[in-house]
Amino acid sequence: MEELFQGVRIRVNDKLFVKDPESSTLGKSIVEISIVMMGELGFEKFNFRKLGERIGSNESSIYRYFENKHKLLLYLTSWYWGWMEYQLVFATHNIAEPKEKLSKAIYMITREIKEDSNFSHINEVLLNNIVINEYSKSYLTKEVDEEDKEGFFASYKRLAKRLSDMIRVFDPKYKYPSSLASTILGGALHQHFLKNHFSSLTECNDKVTPTEYLTNLVFNVLNQNFND
Amino acid sequence: MEELFQGVRIRVNDKLFVKDPESSTLGKSIVEISIVMMGELGFEKFNFRKLGERIGSNESSIYRYFENKHKLLLYLTSWYWGWMEYQLVFATHNIAEPKEKLSKAIYMITREIKEDSNFSHINEVLLNNIVINEYSKSYLTKEVDEEDKEGFFASYKRLAKRLSDMIRVFDPKYKYPSSLASTILGGALHQHFLKNHFSSLTECNDKVTPTEYLTNLVFNVLNQNFND
DNA sequence: AATAAATGATAGTAATACTATTATATTAGC
DNA sequence: GCTAATATAATAGTATTACTATCATTTATT
């Protein structure tokens, strides 16, 4: 799988940056190190001054790439969901059987990312943790509707659409494919968070994965005779 | 129901405040108006200076009640989950039949709060919206583990426990009662948010409620013969 | 009326989230 | 190899936030 990735670039809405960070060494290191630092400090304590110090660059130079840290978070998470969509499509495209296809999709979305694919300066393992801990902060804002109109959440929505389409194919009678897709996407992040911080609120742990829990959930919900 | 509430007070972990806001008029108006303003401005733009101006009081006086706005958010959401637990217990205590009991519990947790119970200075309709939009910010922090040890999330955990217990009673063989309870709690907030801001990601709307979706989900998941 | 407690007014600090300006380094075209 | 353009760095400055400290005044208690 790795080799094919070499030639692929994840597209991100270009309104999310002032200057494309992929277009220069500094830009790439802003993205690379912001992922490391946001993971270490959390979104609130992370800022451009600290990032500048760490990469040996000037705060003002970072502002030439990203308007502010909110936009940077949107960029990072958009990249992540775009990457996830690619992973999903790649992993499922040759599966014809609807159940197996959906099952694989759920696995791709709910698994813990454990190895960096190394095809770019972006570490997906670290980025996965940022998504778990910070993603909801990117849309739980007063600006969400405007930003949605600008297409800032497009990659997430595309992914959700693909998943709900697979649900529809598997069980055309099920009435809530979009809601279920959202529950899988949101629920996976939430279960990963709970297993790390609120273990009493979940059965998930080292042995029982969010994948296992959510796979069981989805296939018990779907294809029932009493979808009423 | 209303009348009984008159004599009840929702208890909140007293480490969440410096001085009990229930103990004075100023304290109550801090809580009351912070709910209004946090709803209007969102958590990020809300601050103690603006709150002080609005209630005609001094910023420094507010700091005598709450250390900072993060603690205030924890206070408000703890109150909400404590109130929700009370509502849940009250609404289900006389139901013996496990399915009906669980069904009622799901309704209580997932419904849209539409009327203020008027038994205090706290408007539950507005507070419900704050919980939908801001709750996750209260725990998606680097301090979550310490704060959990201090018991700041106790009321949420108690509620989750009650719900998972009802799931266990209804279907003792089901392997993920805690995870499912978390999914109901988190999923309900998420579906309400989606219906307001990302309608393409959910079937929920004015006609189809999150309650309907989640009730269907839970009873399809539970009591299956193939819980494997 | 005396005392304590609560609140208000004012000022000040350190950090954040930028913006603007100018200087210097790097790169690209000729 | 020189020139011009572009990118980055350095410095300074502003408005706002998130407080803390101090002292004055109001309100409640005995």
Side-chain angles (χ1 to χ4, degrees):
Chain A
M1 210 193 286
E2 316 293 306
E3 310 88 70
L4 260 163
F5 280 179
Q6 304 291 345
V8 177
R9 238 200 211 182
I10 305 301
R11 275 186 165 277
V12 174
N13 185 328
D14 61 15
K15 286 175 191 154
L16 289 177
F17 47 77
V18 183
K19 177 179 173 171
D20 187 356
E22 298 279 336
S23 72
S24 75
T25 315
L26 177 60
K28 281 177 211 151
S29 96
I30 288 171
V31 168
E32 181 182 355
I33 308 301
S34 69
I35 290 170
V36 175
M37 289 189 78
M38 219 182 265
E40 289 171 1
L41 302 173
F43 183 69
E44 285 72 25
K45 297 201 183 90
F46 167 85
N47 68 40
F48 283 1
R49 181 179 48 74
K50 290 172 187 169
L51 175 61
E53 275 166 28
R54 176 91 155 247
I55 63 182
S57 186
N58 201 274
E59 192 185 353
S60 62
S61 304
I62 297 165
Y63 280 102
R64 283 198 201 88
Y65 287 86
F66 294 100
E67 246 176 279
N68 51 50
K69 72 172 171 174
H70 171 66
K71 287 273 173 70
L72 173 56
L73 177 62
L74 285 169
Y75 177 90
L76 296 178
T77 56
S78 286
W79 192 97
Y80 179 84
W81 295 119
W83 173 79
M84 182 59 82
E85 185 192 12
Y86 184 83
Q87 296 261 112
L88 182 89
V89 170
F90 191 86
T92 61
H93 85 283
N94 60 350
I95 304 175
E97 214 279 298
K99 180 167 185 172
E100 198 192 333
K101 199 176 183 98
L102 178 56
S103 180
K104 184 74 172 204
I106 295 169
Y107 167 72
M108 294 307 290
I109 287 169
T110 61
R111 80 204 159 103
E112 189 182 343
I113 312 298
K114 282 183 178 164
E115 349 86 46
D116 180 12
S117 78
N118 271 322
F119 83 90
S120 75
H121 51 292
I122 295 183
N123 182 320
E124 293 95 15
V125 179
L126 298 179
L127 186 50
N128 176 234
N129 275 304
I130 290 174
V131 171
I132 291 169
N133 289 288
E134 322 290 358
Y135 182 53
S136 67
K137 297 172 192 170
S138 76
Y139 60 81
L140 293 176
T141 69
K142 284 285 163 185
E143 296 78 27
V144 61
D145 296 332
E146 295 160 42
E147 295 188 347
D148 182 35
K149 274 181 201 148
E150 299 282 329
F152 293 177
F153 304 100
S155 56
Y156 184 79
K157 287 163 97 171
R158 273 197 321 266
L159 180 62
K161 176 74 165 47
R162 284 191 190 274
L163 184 57
S164 67
D165 284 346
M166 290 185 197
I167 292 168
R168 261 178 280 262
V169 169
F170 176 67
D171 183 354
K173 285 190 195 147
Y174 181 64
K175 284 160 70 180
Y176 319 100
S178 299
S179 290
L180 185 58
S182 301
T183 298
I184 296 165
L185 282 159
L189 298 182
H190 196 49
Q191 292 298 318
H192 281 294
F193 185 85
L194 293 179
K195 102 182 139 53
N196 294 330
H197 299 288
F198 291 103
S199 54
S200 71
L201 300 186
T202 181
E203 277 76 22
C204 296
N205 53 40
D206 291 339
K207 313 265 170 165
V208 181
T209 60
T211 302
E212 186 183 324
Y213 160 63
L214 285 163
T215 302
N216 172 283
L217 180 124
V218 170
F219 290 106
N220 275 348
V221 168
L222 298 178
N223 215 13
Q224 297 302 124
N225 293 319
F226 46 103
N227 270 333
D228 64 340
Chain B
M1 212 195 284
E2 315 294 304
E3 312 88 70
L4 260 163
F5 280 178
Q6 304 291 345
V8 176
R9 237 198 210 182
I10 305 301
R11 274 186 164 277
V12 174
N13 185 329
D14 60 16
K15 287 176 191 154
L16 290 176
F17 48 77
V18 183
K19 177 179 172 171
D20 188 355
E22 298 279 336
S23 71
S24 74
T25 315
L26 177 60
K28 279 177 212 153
S29 96
I30 287 171
V31 168
E32 181 182 354
I33 308 302
S34 70
I35 291 170
V36 175
M37 289 189 77
M38 219 182 265
E40 288 171 2
L41 302 174
F43 183 69
E44 285 72 25
K45 295 197 183 95
F46 167 84
N47 68 39
F48 284 1
R49 182 179 48 74
K50 291 172 187 168
L51 175 60
E53 275 166 28
R54 177 90 155 248
I55 62 181
S57 186
N58 201 273
E59 193 185 352
S60 62
S61 304
I62 297 165
Y63 279 102
R64 286 199 196 89
Y65 286 86
F66 294 100
E67 245 177 279
N68 50 50
K69 71 172 172 175
H70 170 67
K71 287 273 174 70
L72 172 57
L73 177 62
L74 286 168
Y75 177 90
L76 296 178
T77 56
S78 286
W79 192 96
Y80 179 83
W81 295 118
W83 173 79
M84 182 58 83
E85 185 192 12
Y86 185 82
Q87 297 260 112
L88 182 88
V89 170
F90 191 85
T92 61
H93 84 282
N94 60 349
I95 305 175
E97 215 279 297
K99 181 168 186 173
E100 198 192 334
K101 198 177 183 96
L102 177 56
S103 180
K104 183 74 172 204
I106 294 168
Y107 168 71
M108 295 306 291
I109 287 169
T110 61
R111 80 204 160 104
E112 188 183 344
I113 312 297
K114 281 184 180 163
E115 349 88 45
D116 179 13
S117 77
N118 269 323
F119 83 91
S120 75
H121 51 292
I122 296 182
N123 182 321
E124 291 95 16
V125 179
L126 298 178
L127 186 51
N128 176 234
N129 275 303
I130 290 175
V131 170
I132 290 169
N133 289 288
E134 322 290 358
Y135 181 52
S136 67
K137 297 172 193 170
S138 77
Y139 60 81
L140 292 176
T141 69
K142 285 285 164 187
E143 296 78 29
V144 60
D145 297 332
E146 295 160 42
E147 294 188 347
D148 181 36
K149 274 182 200 146
E150 298 282 324
F152 292 178
F153 304 100
S155 56
Y156 184 79
K157 287 163 96 172
R158 272 196 323 265
L159 179 63
K161 177 75 163 48
R162 283 189 191 276
L163 184 57
S164 67
D165 284 345
M166 289 184 198
I167 292 168
R168 260 178 279 263
V169 168
F170 175 67
D171 184 353
K173 284 189 194 149
Y174 181 64
K175 283 160 70 181
Y176 318 101
S178 299
S179 291
L180 184 58
S182 301
T183 298
I184 297 165
L185 282 160
L189 298 182
H190 196 49
Q191 292 298 318
H192 281 293
F193 184 84
L194 293 179
K195 103 182 136 56
N196 294 330
H197 300 288
F198 291 103
S199 53
S200 72
L201 300 185
T202 181
E203 277 76 21
C204 296
N205 53 39
D206 291 339
K207 312 266 168 163
V208 181
T209 59
T211 301
E212 187 184 322
Y213 160 63
L214 285 162
T215 302
N216 173 281
L217 180 123
V218 170
F219 290 106
N220 275 349
V221 169
L222 298 178
N223 214 15
Q224 299 301 125
N225 294 319
F226 45 104
N227 272 333
D228 64 337

